Amino acid sequence: MKSYASFQGRVKSIEDFPINQSGKDLGCYKFVSLIDNNDSIVNFIVSPTTYFVDHVMIKVGDIVTGFYDRNAPVPLIYPPQYRALIMAKNTHYQNVKVDYFNSNLISSDGMLKLNIAPYTSVILENGQEFTKCPINRNLIVVYGPTTKSIPAQTTPYKIVVICDN
C-alpha cells in the first residue's frame, strides 16, 4: 500500500525529461521544478501515467501540489527528486487530499473525515463510476469547506478511487 506525501509550490520550470538513450520517449516525460514560500525546491518527474486532478494543464507560475509515494526509493540528491503520482493545481475554491481512508472514512493522519452525499461523484481514475463503497482505500478527495473539529469533516465534491494492484 502506498503512503502519500506532498509538496506544494509555484512551478519554476517545466522541461522535457528523456528517460532512455533512444529519444523515443522525448516529450512524454516532464521535469517539473517547484519552489515554495521558504525557497525550498523539489523536482518532480511527471510521466504519462501521472494523474492530474480535473485533468488541468499546468504552466510556469501556477501553484501546484505534487503527491508522491513516501516509501519509494529516491536518489539522495539536492534538490530532492520524486516521481509524481498525482498533481493538483491549487485553486481558491477547492482542496485536494490524497490519503488512505479507513472504514469510517477518516484519513490515515486523522485530520479529515468524509461525509459522502448523494451528489458526491465517486469515480475511478479513468473517469468511470465507482459502484462500491470507497472505504479502506487510497482516495483522491476534492473538497471545499470543512468543520473546525478534529478531525475536520467535509462533504467532498468528488472522490477518485485509486485502484492499486
Side-chain angles (χ1 to χ4, degrees), residues 46-66:
V46 175
S47 76
T49 61
T50 300
Y51 181 82
F52 279 79
V53 174
D54 295 330
H55 304 288
V56 296
M57 185 80 64
I58 63 169
K59 63 185 184 316
V60 172
D62 288 343
I63 307 252
V64 301
T65 303

Side-chain angles (χ1 to χ4, degrees), residues 47-113:
S47 76
T49 61
T50 300
Y51 181 82
F52 279 79
V53 174
D54 295 330
H55 304 288
V56 296
M57 185 80 64
I58 63 169
K59 63 185 184 316
V60 172
D62 288 343
I63 307 252
V64 301
T65 303
F67 296 90
Y68 59 94
D69 183 353
R70 79 173 73 236
N71 297 324
V74 294
L76 293 174
I77 58 174
Y78 181 82
Q81 182 174 300
Y82 303 110
R83 182 174 161 254
L85 300 175
I86 298 150
M87 298 289 283
K89 185 174 176 179
N90 294 24
T91 65
H92 295 293
Y93 57 88
Q94 73 180 25
N95 305 298
V96 176
K97 184 169 185 80
V98 179
D99 205 348
Y100 177 83
F101 286 82
N102 67 18
S103 60
N104 294 316
L105 289 173
I106 298 175
S107 62
S108 67
D109 62 6
M111 299 304 291
L112 187 64
K113 178 175 180 3

Side-chain angles (χ1 to χ4, degrees), residues 145-164:
T146 64
T147 64
K148 295 188 185 293
S149 61
I150 296 179
Q153 295 188 39
T154 190
T155 303
Y157 304 138
K158 177 169 58 174
I159 296 173
V160 180
V161 178
I162 301 171
C163 293
D164 290 331

